Short mmCIF file of all heavy atoms in Angstrom, two decimals:
data_model
loop_
_atom_site.label_atom_id
_atom_site.label_comp_id
_atom_site.label_asym_id
_atom_site.label_seq_id
_atom_site.Cartn_x
_atom_site.Cartn_y
_atom_site.Cartn_z
N GLY M 279 -9.20 31.44 -1.94
CA GLY M 279 -10.09 31.63 -0.81
C GLY M 279 -10.79 30.36 -0.37
O GLY M 279 -11.69 30.40 0.47
N HIS M 280 -10.41 29.21 -0.93
CA HIS M 280 -11.02 27.94 -0.51
C HIS M 280 -10.46 27.50 0.82
O HIS M 280 -9.25 27.62 1.04
CB HIS M 280 -10.72 26.82 -1.50
CG HIS M 280 -11.02 27.19 -2.89
ND1 HIS M 280 -10.12 27.06 -3.91
CD2 HIS M 280 -12.12 27.74 -3.43
CE1 HIS M 280 -10.67 27.49 -5.02
NE2 HIS M 280 -11.87 27.91 -4.76
N LYS M 281 -11.30 26.96 1.63
CA LYS M 281 -10.82 26.38 2.88
C LYS M 281 -10.08 25.08 2.59
O LYS M 281 -10.50 24.29 1.74
CB LYS M 281 -12.01 26.09 3.80
CG LYS M 281 -12.45 27.31 4.56
CD LYS M 281 -12.93 26.91 5.93
CE LYS M 281 -13.15 28.16 6.77
NZ LYS M 281 -13.45 27.84 8.15
N TYR M 282 -8.99 24.87 3.28
CA TYR M 282 -8.28 23.61 3.14
C TYR M 282 -8.95 22.54 3.99
O TYR M 282 -9.25 22.77 5.16
CB TYR M 282 -6.84 23.75 3.61
CG TYR M 282 -5.94 24.29 2.56
CD1 TYR M 282 -5.88 25.66 2.32
CD2 TYR M 282 -5.16 23.45 1.79
CE1 TYR M 282 -5.07 26.17 1.33
CE2 TYR M 282 -4.34 23.95 0.80
CZ TYR M 282 -4.29 25.32 0.58
OH TYR M 282 -3.48 25.82 -0.40
N LEU M 283 -9.18 21.39 3.41
CA LEU M 283 -9.64 20.24 4.19
C LEU M 283 -8.47 19.28 4.20
O LEU M 283 -8.25 18.52 3.27
CB LEU M 283 -10.86 19.61 3.52
CG LEU M 283 -12.09 20.51 3.51
CD1 LEU M 283 -13.16 19.95 2.60
CD2 LEU M 283 -12.61 20.67 4.93
N GLU M 284 -7.67 19.37 5.21
CA GLU M 284 -6.36 18.75 5.10
C GLU M 284 -6.21 17.37 5.73
O GLU M 284 -5.30 16.66 5.40
CB GLU M 284 -5.33 19.67 5.71
CG GLU M 284 -5.76 20.13 7.07
CD GLU M 284 -4.72 20.99 7.72
OE1 GLU M 284 -3.72 21.33 7.08
OE2 GLU M 284 -4.91 21.29 8.90
N GLY M 285 -7.08 17.02 6.62
CA GLY M 285 -6.94 15.71 7.25
C GLY M 285 -6.13 15.79 8.53
O GLY M 285 -5.35 16.71 8.77
N THR M 286 -6.35 14.76 9.34
CA THR M 286 -5.79 14.70 10.68
C THR M 286 -4.27 14.61 10.67
O THR M 286 -3.58 15.31 11.42
CB THR M 286 -6.38 13.47 11.40
OG1 THR M 286 -7.80 13.56 11.30
CG2 THR M 286 -5.97 13.42 12.84
N GLY M 287 -3.73 13.74 9.82
CA GLY M 287 -2.27 13.55 9.76
C GLY M 287 -1.57 14.84 9.40
O GLY M 287 -0.57 15.22 10.02
N LYS M 288 -2.11 15.54 8.40
CA LYS M 288 -1.50 16.79 7.95
C LYS M 288 -1.55 17.85 9.06
O LYS M 288 -0.58 18.58 9.28
CB LYS M 288 -2.25 17.29 6.70
CG LYS M 288 -1.52 18.34 5.91
CD LYS M 288 -0.34 17.72 5.17
CE LYS M 288 0.48 18.76 4.43
NZ LYS M 288 1.72 18.17 3.90
N ALA M 289 -2.67 17.92 9.76
CA ALA M 289 -2.81 18.88 10.86
C ALA M 289 -1.77 18.61 11.95
O ALA M 289 -1.12 19.54 12.46
CB ALA M 289 -4.22 18.82 11.45
N LEU M 290 -1.58 17.35 12.29
CA LEU M 290 -0.59 17.00 13.31
C LEU M 290 0.82 17.25 12.80
O LEU M 290 1.71 17.67 13.55
CB LEU M 290 -0.76 15.54 13.74
CG LEU M 290 -2.04 15.23 14.53
CD1 LEU M 290 -2.14 13.75 14.85
CD2 LEU M 290 -2.10 16.05 15.82
N GLU M 291 1.05 16.99 11.51
CA GLU M 291 2.37 17.25 10.91
C GLU M 291 2.75 18.72 11.12
O GLU M 291 3.86 19.04 11.57
CB GLU M 291 2.33 16.91 9.41
CG GLU M 291 3.64 17.22 8.69
CD GLU M 291 3.52 17.08 7.16
OE1 GLU M 291 2.80 16.19 6.69
OE2 GLU M 291 4.17 17.89 6.46
N ILE M 292 1.81 19.59 10.81
CA ILE M 292 2.07 21.03 10.95
C ILE M 292 2.32 21.39 12.42
O ILE M 292 3.26 22.13 12.74
CB ILE M 292 0.88 21.83 10.37
CG1 ILE M 292 0.81 21.62 8.85
CG2 ILE M 292 0.98 23.31 10.72
CD1 ILE M 292 -0.48 22.09 8.21
N ALA M 293 1.51 20.81 13.31
CA ALA M 293 1.65 21.11 14.74
C ALA M 293 3.01 20.64 15.29
O ALA M 293 3.67 21.35 16.05
CB ALA M 293 0.50 20.48 15.53
N VAL M 294 3.42 19.45 14.90
CA VAL M 294 4.69 18.90 15.40
C VAL M 294 5.86 19.69 14.84
O VAL M 294 6.84 19.97 15.54
CB VAL M 294 4.82 17.39 15.05
CG1 VAL M 294 6.20 16.87 15.40
CG2 VAL M 294 3.76 16.59 15.79
N LYS M 295 5.76 20.06 13.57
CA LYS M 295 6.84 20.84 12.94
C LYS M 295 7.02 22.16 13.69
O LYS M 295 8.14 22.59 13.98
CB LYS M 295 6.51 21.08 11.47
CG LYS M 295 7.69 21.59 10.70
CD LYS M 295 7.61 21.25 9.22
CE LYS M 295 8.94 21.56 8.57
NZ LYS M 295 9.99 20.64 9.01
N GLU M 296 5.90 22.78 13.98
CA GLU M 296 5.90 24.06 14.71
C GLU M 296 6.54 23.90 16.09
O GLU M 296 7.36 24.70 16.51
CB GLU M 296 4.44 24.53 14.83
CG GLU M 296 4.17 25.57 15.90
CD GLU M 296 4.61 26.97 15.46
OE1 GLU M 296 5.23 27.11 14.39
OE2 GLU M 296 4.33 27.91 16.20
N HIS M 297 6.18 22.84 16.78
CA HIS M 297 6.60 22.67 18.18
C HIS M 297 8.04 22.17 18.30
O HIS M 297 8.79 22.64 19.15
CB HIS M 297 5.65 21.70 18.88
CG HIS M 297 5.87 21.61 20.37
ND1 HIS M 297 5.27 22.48 21.24
CD2 HIS M 297 6.64 20.79 21.12
CE1 HIS M 297 5.64 22.19 22.47
NE2 HIS M 297 6.48 21.17 22.43
#
Side-chain angles (χ1 to χ4, degrees):
Chain M
H280 309 128
K281 277 215 170 187
Y282 276 82
L283 294 168
E284 49 177 7
T286 307
K288 196 73 183 171
L290 291 177
E291 177 189 324
I292 293 167
V294 172
K295 193 154 191 69
E296 161 78 354
H297 189 86

